[in-house]
Amino acid sequence: MTLHPNDFLKSEAVAATGPAVARRRKMRPAAQTGEPVVPQSVRGRFRRLKWAMVALCLGVYYVVPFLRWSRGAGQPDQAILFDLAGLRFYIFGLEFQPQELYYLTALMIAATIALVLTNTLSGRIWCGYFCPQTVWSDLFQLVELRLEGDRNERMRQLHMPMTLARRARKLLKHVIWLAIAFGTGGAFVLYFADAPTLLGDVFTGQASVAAYGAILTLTTTTWLLAGFAREKMCTYMCPWPRLQGAVWDPEALVVTYRDYRGEERMSAKKAAAARAAGRPAGDCVDCMACVHVCPMGIDIRNGPSIACINCGLCVDACDTTMGKLGRQRGLIDYESWTNIERGRAGQSRKPVRLLRPKVVALSVALLAIVAGVALSVSARGTLHLGVSHDRNPIAVMLSDGSVRNAYEVRVETLAGVGGDLTLEVAGNAPLHVAVIGGETSDSGRVPISLGSGLSRQFRVTVAGETALEGDLVFTLIQTASGESVSVTNFFKLP
């Protein structure tokens, strides 16, 4: 049977061919019975890789707010800082302002393309190793394993009366979960203020209401999602599984069961007897190890499933069983669906092509967006100027017969840029410029004092004869470097 990509949109796992797979089984995975998913711990290369990714992701998340980056006197020295109060966003040597959010849009598009690219290469590999839901769920499950025992012990206690010792262990588990969740929320707010200062304020009760509110919200959501909604979040709440039909690739390396090798399922003793009698027997001994270790509670032997996060733990479990039986490993493995169908047809396996047209196209698109953002950031200036004309009134006739227009001018500089600036206004005729509360000039040039890395909004009036009607060019000049930026507005008559 050929698998169609749209089959991934089904709520049930896609069934593989063969009467042994299609028959109703006595032992079904938790995802089909409604029982709680209690995964068995497992050892193996993919489990070690997952722990390494957990350590890496958590290390980056908790350490980055404390990295320092020198930006000069009077500037924040936190390497990554999203200063909402000052409307500045610092990422190491780069500084962004709210009007530059188009960079964020470009990066979100790039991230989407990167996600589709990884899916084209190896399915939901992001979900299995890097997704925050997976990382924190693994951490919570580790606490559960250490306090309440492995799967067999917890399953045995499910329907037993609650004892004082079990209550104490469960209470301790939730205390540790809440501590981890609090650390998660606490680390998140450190990205929005100076980390060491805010950390001290949080524990001394001097932090803002907004900070405590954000910490409480993230603590609660982390505790609920990683502690109680693990596989439900990945299967039902996350939109990514529902998009598998659109981006599914038959040559992607995904966790797959080689049913042409595993069926018919039977015990090792029965398989030996069947082979001795010349009857077919598969390598799968139906030990259910692959099902018991699955954090999603599915049976990968039933075929591809939208719930599978491609974590590879069932590969470790099956390889362990095959090793104990002296059989070839890889009954469950990262394999392309193309090779699964070739195996069913008795054909040899083909090496998976990494450089496929779809992969090349996505890679080129991703590189183009990243390169475009990098070039745009490197070429942008350090000055920003915004000018808006007053609308009410749009113009005023003065007693000497001249006309005056008023403007709101916003000046911004990047961090470390000197604050001695000059505002120059040029039009079709001589004019008089006045900064309300500041300098005036009949030459069209007025000095502006601006602190380094600050922004200022002020009111400017321009007066002149009626011949001044038309375009006005406002130019902001950095005194030290000579860098300038210009904005065109208009001069109107009453």
Side-chain angles (χ1 to χ4, degrees), residues 334-346:
Y334 283 91
E335 181 60 285
S336 69
W337 191 256
T338 298
N339 278 328
I340 293 296
E341 293 190 324
R342 289 180 62 86
R344 289 173 174 175

Side-chain angles (χ1 to χ4, degrees), residues 257-303:
Y257 170 62
R258 291 188 169 105
D259 57 344
Y260 56 87
R261 175 188 150 190
E263 304 298 332
E264 294 275 347
R265 306 176 197 173
M266 60 187 72
S267 67
K269 180 183 290 188
K270 290 181 178 180
R275 287 167 183 156
R279 297 193 305 271
D283 281 348
C284 179
V285 294
D286 209 14
C287 64
M288 298 292 288
C290 58
V291 178
H292 293 161
V293 302
C294 179
M296 307 303 297
I298 63 173
D299 189 343
I300 194 63
R301 298 172 300 174
N302 289 340

Side-chain angles (χ1 to χ4, degrees), residues 4-5 56 92 95 97 103 205 208 251 265 268 285 375:
H4 191 275
L56 175 63
F92 295 100
E95 177 188 345
Q97 298 173 359
Y103 287 125
S208 65
E251 294 195 58
R265 306 176 197 173
V285 294
L375 290 174

Side-chain angles (χ1 to χ4, degrees), residues 267-481:
S267 67
K269 180 183 290 188
K270 290 181 178 180
R275 287 167 183 156
R279 297 193 305 271
D283 281 348
C284 179
V285 294
D286 209 14
C287 64
M288 298 292 288
C290 58
V291 178
H292 293 161
V293 302
C294 179
M296 307 303 297
I298 63 173
D299 189 343
I300 194 63
R301 298 172 300 174
N302 289 340
S305 169
I306 62 171
C308 179
I309 60 174
N310 231 34
C311 64
L313 296 184
C314 55
V315 179
D316 286 338
C318 187
D319 281 352
T320 299
T321 300
M322 293 295 104
K324 291 178 180 178
L325 296 174
R327 296 177 180 177
Q328 181 183 358
R329 298 172 184 264
L331 179 59
I332 299 176
D333 203 356
Y334 283 91
E335 181 60 285
S336 69
W337 191 256
T338 298
N339 278 328
I340 293 296
E341 293 190 324
R342 289 180 62 86
R344 289 173 174 175
Q347 300 172 353
S348 61
R349 181 182 184 275
K350 289 179 61 177
V352 176
R353 297 181 305 154
L354 294 180
L355 295 179
R356 308 190 297 275
K358 186 176 179 180
V359 174
V360 172
L362 289 169
S363 300
V364 170
L366 178 60
L367 290 175
I369 293 177
V370 172
V373 170
L375 290 174
S376 177
V377 169
S378 62
R380 65 180 181 154
T382 60
L383 303 178
H384 294 272
L385 174 65
V387 179
S388 59
H389 197 293
D390 273 7
R391 298 289 180 177
N392 189 22
I394 198 167
V396 175
M397 180 68 74
L398 302 179
S399 58
D400 60 358
S402 62
V403 179
R404 183 179 68 198
N405 285 203
Y407 305 85
E408 288 290 335
V409 177
R410 182 175 180 84
V411 174
E412 296 186 28
T413 65
L414 297 183
V417 178
D420 294 331
L421 308 170
T422 299
L423 179 65
E424 180 180 280
V425 185
N428 300 323
L431 49 81
H432 175 84
V433 180
V435 177
I436 305 302
E439 301 286 339
T440 63
S441 172
D442 290 326
S443 65
R445 296 170 62 94
V446 290
I448 297 175
S449 179
L450 190 66
S452 175
L454 299 179
S455 63
R456 181 183 173 190
Q457 185 169 329
F458 47 91
R459 189 176 176 81
V460 173
T461 61
V462 177
E465 302 298 329
T466 56
L468 190 59
E469 183 180 19
D471 289 341
L472 288 182
V473 179
F474 292 76
T475 303
L476 185 66
I477 305 170
Q478 212 285 323
T479 305
S481 65

